[in-house]
């Protein structure tokens, strides 16, 4: 029974990684850059909810909504101010800028909220589910997290396949120049990608802080890096890959904590990544790199 | 008034000047060929017209509107389509999805369906392979797809960059036949080609580019008999 509960908690943690990884993988697939500030958007989302709900006494729904709006605007602004001027610059310059933005967000949060950990009150008020005569208890946050992840996955897949802007994303991810020749506004499409990724980061922030209720300016960095690992693990650029990578990572991390060592769990997670990349350099669902001769 | 007027166009890549003030005109109903060796500036000219590269100076007027500074994606609804060098089809998407991408700026679903039918009528092989991924098509088929995709936006001016590059002789003939058909249907064609003989045979007017300058221009049939052109481009 305890194995099952570790597994379910792993899936729940993995769902949060998956939602964050979706943002990483979409931005990578479409803008061809690694947005290392993505993890810190999660932290901003967490603080937005904290401020609305705990400090100002607002309702959870308002808190979540405000967090999503703030993160979306922040994501689009970062893209426009920091990344767009570097379009066409070397990938290294963009990467360093992204790391710079990450530190900028952390330090602004440090100035505004200080370095003390805040106690985050869960905004998910769903009762726990008791199964097998009370032996297996699944918390409300766990259920909501897994369900959100499934809904987001389905909605995102439908969005990309059924809408015009989704089609534009597909075209831009494959060939920016050819997309322009089709009449697609490449900068606009990239901005929408950042908006969606950042809105998802806000949702991930809310879920993460509800499950692990301690909030600091550095809250987003470790989950951000792990979600990046999950995205690479699943095959960066692939949406189902981010999902599978995230959930597998969550399960591995939780089972490693439970059965091997909680101190070594992160080391185990990263070792698994290294092994997967040695065997399959493009990740589980990664596209094969066809080298043209 | 000409459909497309290019005036004193200069383009730089960093400090290197790729176009040194070229001027030419495309009249409605023309097939214009730009010929020249590698590096003469043919592709640069097309990319500047369709907004992929900014011009340093000079102007580009399309149907009376100055499009020199108009971003590339806004030119498609204005009536210019560009078939790029190397086809640039979306390899991971199906043939049908590629065609639909070509109609990105169109919103009337019925009209899009009708246009797809017309494209299939012109390129029956695309219909046979409509669910196949574009990356798995042969070079000639990809060229047909790139042309069909460009036609999806109902262009009045179609710009083609090296449509015969890398194709077998049979496909080369087929592609040039199709360009003539597209022209007969009322679309103006601006063609860049290294296959000067073929290009001059279907064009009514031609310009010869050499290191960023137009060195010769005139009636395509006359250029075909020009000793200089014969020697440099027709390998006679």
């Amino acid at each position: 029974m305890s194995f099952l509960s570790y597994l379910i908690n792993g899936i729940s943690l993995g769902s949060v990684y998956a939602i964050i990884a979706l943002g990483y993988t979409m931005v990578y697939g479409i803008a061809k850059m690694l947005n290392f500030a993505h993890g810190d958007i999660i932290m901003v989302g967490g603080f937005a909810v904290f401020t609305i709900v705990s400090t100002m006494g607002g309702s959870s729904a308002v808190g979540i909504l405000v967090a999503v709006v703030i993160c979306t605007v922040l994501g689009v602004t970062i893209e426009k101010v920091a990344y767009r001027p570097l379009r066409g610059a070397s990938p290294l310059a963009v990467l360093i800028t992204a790391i710079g933005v990450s530190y900028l967000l952390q330090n602004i949060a440090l100035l505004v909220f200080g370095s003390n950990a805040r106690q985050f009150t869960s905004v998910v008020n769903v009762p726990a589910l008791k199964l097998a005569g009370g032996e297996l208890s699944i918390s409300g946050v766990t259920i909501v997290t897994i369900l959100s992840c499934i809904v987001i996955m389905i909605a995102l897949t439908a969005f990309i396949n059924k809408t015009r802007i989704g089609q534009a994303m597909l075209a831009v991810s494959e060939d920016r120049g050819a997309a322009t020749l089709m009449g697609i506004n490449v900068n606009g499409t990239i901005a929408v990608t950042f908006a969606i990724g950042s809105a998802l980061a806000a949702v991930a922030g809310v879920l993460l802080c509800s499950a692990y209720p301690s909030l600091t300016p550095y809250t987003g960095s470790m989950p951000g890096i792990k979600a990046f690992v999950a995205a690479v693990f699943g095959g960066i650029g692939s949406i189902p890959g981010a999902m599978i990578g995230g959930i597998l990572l969550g399960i591995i991390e939780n089972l490693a904590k439970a059965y091997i060592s909680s101190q070594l769990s992160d080391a185990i997670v990263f070792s698994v990544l290294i092994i997967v990349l040695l065997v399959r350099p493009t990740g589980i669902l990664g596209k094969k790199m066809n080298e043209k001769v | 008034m000409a459909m497309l007027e290019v005036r004193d166009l200069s383009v730089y890549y960093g400090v290197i000047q790729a176009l040194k003030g070229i001027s030419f005109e495309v009249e409605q109903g023309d097939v214009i060929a730009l010929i020249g060796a590698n590096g003469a500036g043919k592709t640069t000219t097309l990319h500047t017209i369709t907004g992929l590269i900014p011009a340093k100076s000079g102007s580009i007027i399309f149907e009376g509107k100055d499009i020199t500074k108009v971003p590339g994606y806004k030119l498609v609804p204005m009536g210019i389509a560009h078939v790029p060098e190397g086809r640039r089809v979306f390899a991971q998407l199906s043939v049908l999805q590629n065609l639909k991408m070509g109609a990105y700026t169109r919103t009337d679903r019925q009209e899009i369906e009708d246009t797809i039918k017309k494209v299939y009528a012109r390129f029956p092989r695309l219909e046979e392979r409509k669910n196949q991924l574009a990356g798995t098509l042969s070079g000639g088929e990809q060229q047909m797809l790139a042309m069909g995709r460009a036609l999806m936006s109902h262009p009045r001016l179609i710009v083609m960059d090296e449509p015969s590059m890398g194709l077998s002789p049979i496909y080369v003939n087929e592609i040039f036949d199709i360009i003539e058909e597209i022209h007969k249907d009322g679309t103006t064609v601006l063609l860049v080609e290294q296959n000067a003989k073929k290009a001059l045979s279907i064009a009514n007017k031609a310009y010869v580019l050499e290191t960023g300058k137009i060195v010769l221009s005139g009636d395509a049939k006359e250029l075909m008999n020009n000793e200089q052109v014969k020697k440099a481009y027709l390998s006679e």
Side-chain angles (χ1 to χ4, degrees):
Chain A
M1 215 36 84
S2 60
F3 172 76
L4 211 55
S5 111
Y6 294 140
L7 185 68
I8 290 170
N9 284 330
I11 295 174
S12 170
L13 176 63
S15 298
V16 176
Y17 290 156
I19 296 170
I20 308 168
L22 281 173
Y24 261 114
T25 222
M26 282 177 76
V27 165
Y28 180 83
I30 290 153
K32 299 285 179 281
M33 65 163 287
L34 292 170
N35 179 18
F36 273 117
H38 192 64
D40 302 293
I41 309 257
I42 300 165
M43 171 274 294
V44 172
F47 272 111
V49 174
F50 176 81
T51 307
I52 299 287
V53 177
S54 301
T55 313
M56 295 161 66
S59 74
S60 309
V62 174
I64 295 169
L65 197 70
V66 170
V68 168
V69 171
I70 287 179
C71 288
T72 307
V73 171
L74 182 65
V76 172
T77 310
I78 291 172
E79 192 276 321
K80 193 156 186 176
V81 174
Y83 303 150
R84 191 173 295 183
L86 292 174
R87 201 135 304 147
S90 94
L92 206 55
V94 184
L95 187 72
I96 291 166
T97 307
I99 294 171
V101 172
S102 166
Y103 280 112
L104 180 72
L105 291 179
Q106 286 176 12
N107 285 290
I108 291 174
L110 206 54
L111 268 177
V112 179
F113 297 100
S115 60
N116 289 337
R118 307 297 175 101
Q119 188 65 27
F120 189 91
T121 347
S122 175
V123 290
V124 178
N125 311 313
V126 177
L129 189 67
K130 297 225 184 293
L131 293 175
E135 270 192 75
L136 180 64
S137 168
I138 308 171
S139 76
V141 180
T142 304
I143 299 167
V144 170
T145 304
I146 297 172
L147 285 180
S148 315
C149 183
I150 296 170
V151 170
I152 287 171
M153 176 74 189
I154 294 172
L156 207 56
T157 309
F159 177 79
I160 287 179
N161 290 319
K162 300 286 174 207
T163 66
R164 235 166 85 82
I165 183 85
Q167 292 296 300
M169 286 175 169
L170 281 180
V172 173
S173 79
E174 237 192 83
D175 187 334
R176 236 179 245 180
T180 304
L181 297 180
M182 301 298 106
I184 293 166
N185 179 351
V186 171
N187 279 335
T189 307
I190 291 177
V192 172
T193 309
F194 270 85
I196 294 174
S198 306
L200 292 181
V203 173
V206 172
L207 294 170
L208 186 75
C209 294
S210 296
Y212 304 89
S214 156
L215 186 58
T216 75
Y218 308 111
T219 291
S221 74
M222 200 54 183
I225 289 177
K226 284 190 190 152
F228 169 62
V229 170
V232 175
F233 192 40
I236 191 139
S238 156
I239 287 177
M243 218 62 187
I244 293 171
I247 289 173
L248 278 180
L249 201 73
I251 293 174
I252 294 168
E253 185 181 329
N254 243 28
L255 293 185
K257 261 186 198 150
Y259 293 109
I260 303 172
S261 154
S262 58
Q263 277 159 345
L264 281 179
S265 69
D266 286 349
I268 292 166
V269 164
F270 289 112
S271 307
V272 169
L273 171 83
I274 293 170
I275 294 165
V276 167
L277 288 185
L278 283 175
V279 180
R280 276 190 68 94
T282 54
I284 300 171
L285 294 184
K287 284 173 195 152
K288 263 212 192 116
M289 304 288 182
N290 286 323
E291 289 209 17
K292 269 212 165 154
V293 190
Chain B
M1 187 185 60
M3 182 182 220
L4 181 75
E5 275 185 60
V6 174
R7 288 273 158 266
D8 289 326
L9 195 63
S10 288
V11 175
Y12 284 78
Y13 292 114
V15 291
I16 297 158
Q17 189 170 14
L19 291 183
K20 299 166 182 165
I22 65 164
S23 300
F24 66 94
E25 288 182 355
V26 179
E27 298 286 343
Q28 173 131 27
D30 270 348
V31 177
I32 301 288
L34 288 182
I35 58 174
N38 256 342
K42 303 183 303 286
T43 296
T44 304
T45 308
L46 295 194
H47 280 193
T48 314
I49 293 171
T50 53
L52 297 182
I53 303 175
K56 178 94 176 178
S57 62
S59 62
I60 305 163
I61 316 285
F62 178 68
E63 293 182 336
K65 281 175 261 183
D66 187 344
I67 59 163
T68 320
K69 294 211 155 49
V70 175
Y73 70 95
K74 285 188 180 161
L75 296 174
V76 181
M78 289 173 80
I80 304 180
H82 183 153
V83 184
E85 183 178 2
R87 354 247 182 254
R88 310 267 294 259
V89 296
F90 298 108
Q92 304 291 329
L93 303 184
S94 72
V95 168
L96 181 59
Q97 281 176 304
N98 266 276
L99 290 178
K100 286 189 173 161
M101 272 318 167
Y104 183 78
T105 55
R106 305 236 141 208
T107 45
D108 183 344
R109 276 166 191 267
Q110 187 55 47
E111 191 212 286
I112 293 173
E113 288 301 316
D114 292 345
T115 316
I116 290 176
K117 279 191 196 121
K118 276 185 205 155
V119 169
Y120 282 160
R122 177 164 280 140
F123 304 98
R125 224 159 320 167
L126 294 185
E127 184 165 25
E128 287 163 26
R129 299 179 188 258
K130 61 181 172 191
N131 295 320
Q132 205 170 312
L133 292 186
T136 65
L137 300 178
S138 75
E141 287 163 348
Q142 289 191 12
Q143 186 61 46
M144 290 180 183
L145 179 56
M147 290 162 98
R149 186 179 66 175
L151 290 173
M152 290 299 299
S153 66
H154 292 249
R156 290 188 295 284
L157 172 67
I158 192 162
V159 169
M160 296 192 201
D161 198 349
E162 305 278 9
S164 77
M165 191 171 63
L167 301 186
S168 68
I170 300 168
Y171 266 129
V172 171
N173 288 333
E174 200 169 339
I175 292 296
F176 277 98
D177 287 345
I178 292 163
I179 298 172
E180 284 199 285
E181 280 176 39
I182 292 171
H183 170 239
K184 277 191 194 114
D185 284 354
T187 312
T188 306
V189 178
L190 174 58
L191 178 66
V192 153
E193 257 299 338
Q194 285 202 39
N195 188 338
K197 198 183 243 175
K198 273 282 174 193
L200 290 177
S201 74
I202 65 164
N204 56 320
K205 241 182 126 181
Y207 295 87
V208 180
L209 272 170
E210 248 169 47
T211 56
K213 277 190 208 138
I214 290 178
V215 292
L216 268 176
S217 66
D219 183 89
K221 304 291 168 294
E222 280 170 21
L223 282 179
M224 237 183 195
N225 295 315
N226 179 303
E227 286 306 317
Q228 211 182 328
V229 174
K230 269 188 185 173
K231 217 170 155 193
Y233 304 107
L234 303 175
S235 51
E236 279 175 20

